[in-house]
Amino acid sequence: MTDRIFSLAALTVLELSPPDMVEAAARAGYSHVGLRLVPATEQEQHFPLVADASLRRQTQARLRDTGTKVLDLEILRLKPDTCVADFKAILDVGAELGGTELLVAGNDPDESRLTERFAHLCDLAADYGIYPHLEFMPWTEVRDLRQAMRVVANADRGNACVLVDAFHFNRSASALADLATLAPERLRYAQLCDVAGPVPDDMDEILRQARNERRFPGDGDADLVGLLRALPANVPLSLEIPTRQLLEQGISGEQRARMALQRAKAVLAKATSLP
């Protein structure tokens, strides 16, 4: 377990600028961070790393000074009108910052077109040594693990991967048996959190929970031990755990990051112990 990479995801501490996030992650005990180059929504707070060269320099300086590395880059969306070539500037910045994993959302109802563009993105990313990961989320057009696996398989690219997020795995009713059939090389990192209560009937409520009310590992109902045992050994774990209630209570980003890491290590210890 000592060799496991833990990365602090941007959504966990979205209020922090990238340089401050790197500093908080390093102080909290993380070796890596995930950087959000493109906002997930128009409403969220965003720090424009792609457009702001000064912010990039500050971030790179903090990475260098703390010894922290970048694990993943987010978030690119494949939509009906997407031109994959337009992502080049984002990949340029991501590679400059040292990221190797790329989070991709599928927002195109035409699965054939989505697959074709995902393959094109993989080809573009390959020039940078970057691995696109298709993340299934129940409110997107790639709703569950099986569908993400199908798109990645049909894209048929060596750097094409699937991203498993514990929240989405639970809320999409994806199965550990399916995960066990996925080749380990298609899983280069995973996102860890916990989730409480039954799956809501309302998709808007699922989305609200995903962005605001996740739980620290071990504080919810998800079978995280089973999930961790089904993932490849020593796969890097990105802790993506937005907890708006704690933020509103004034608990700092660094404190929340530290709490997340402590809980994640405790759950991982259970998963890696003998039965």
Side-chain angles (χ1 to χ4, degrees):
M1 193 176 75
T2 55
D3 295 330
R4 185 69 66 121
I5 288 173
F6 287 97
S7 180
L8 179 61
L11 189 58
T12 305
V13 290
L14 202 58
E15 78 276 16
L16 298 183
S17 70
D20 288 344
M21 176 192 178
V22 171
E23 186 70 32
R27 287 199 298 257
Y30 293 80
S31 60
H32 290 66
V33 295
L35 295 178
R36 184 161 285 193
L37 303 185
V38 181
T41 71
E42 294 181 357
Q43 294 76 32
E44 75 177 26
Q45 183 172 5
H46 179 61
F47 299 93
L49 273 170
V50 174
D52 190 335
S54 175
L55 184 61
R56 287 202 304 278
R57 287 193 295 271
Q58 294 173 43
T59 303
Q60 289 171 318
R62 208 67 60 90
L63 288 167
R64 183 177 59 252
D65 293 344
T66 62
T68 306
K69 300 183 184 302
V70 176
L71 177 67
D72 67 308
L73 312 159
E74 53 178 336
I75 171 177
L76 298 188
R77 296 188 181 277
L78 297 176
K79 303 176 182 179
D81 60 349
T82 292
C83 175
V84 172
D86 291 343
F87 291 146
K88 186 179 184 304
I90 298 167
L91 294 175
D92 284 338
V93 170
E96 177 185 331
L97 292 165
T100 56
E101 321 305 317
L102 175 66
L103 192 156
V104 182
N107 296 106
D108 188 342
D110 184 332
E111 187 173 311
S112 176
R113 181 173 58 203
L114 172 65
T115 303
E116 180 180 351
R117 286 179 175 162
F118 183 69
H120 184 189
L121 176 58
C122 287
D123 292 340
L124 184 64
D127 292 338
Y128 299 88
I130 289 175
Y131 293 76
H133 290 63
L134 184 61
E135 182 177 20
F136 59 94
M137 296 173 261
W139 58 85
T140 67
E141 303 301 336
V142 181
R143 294 176 176 82
D144 56 26
L145 174 61
R146 282 190 176 185
Q147 189 178 7
M149 290 172 61
R150 184 171 65 243
V151 171
V152 167
N154 289 336
D156 194 23
R157 295 297 190 270
N159 61 338
C161 298
V162 172
L163 179 57
V164 173
D165 179 314
F167 182 95
H168 306 318
F169 192 89
N170 176 279
R171 287 330 198 197
S172 66
S174 292
L176 292 176
D178 291 326
L179 183 56
T181 69
L182 186 56
E185 59 267 23
R186 298 299 189 189
L187 292 159
R188 288 177 48 91
Y189 82 110
Q191 290 182 326
L192 191 66
C193 69
D194 214 331
V195 54
V199 179
D201 295 328
D202 180 23
M203 193 61 71
D204 288 339
E205 174 60 14
I206 293 177
L207 177 56
R208 188 191 68 79
Q209 290 178 358
R211 292 192 59 80
N212 299 284
E213 289 187 6
R214 302 193 191 195
R215 302 292 179 91
F216 295 126
D219 290 351
D221 306 317
D223 179 13
L224 298 185
V225 169
L227 181 63
L228 287 167
R229 287 178 173 173
L231 291 168
N234 289 324
V235 67
L237 297 173
S238 170
L239 304 188
E240 185 176 70
I241 315 171
T243 49
R244 177 168 292 279
Q245 184 178 7
L246 296 183
L247 172 63
E248 292 174 349
Q249 290 173 1
I251 298 178
S252 72
E254 182 181 336
Q255 288 175 298
R256 301 194 317 273
R258 194 179 301 274
M259 293 165 68
L261 185 58
Q262 290 171 344
R263 303 289 210 287
K265 287 183 175 180
V267 171
L268 183 60
K270 291 181 182 179
T272 54
S273 63
L274 293 175

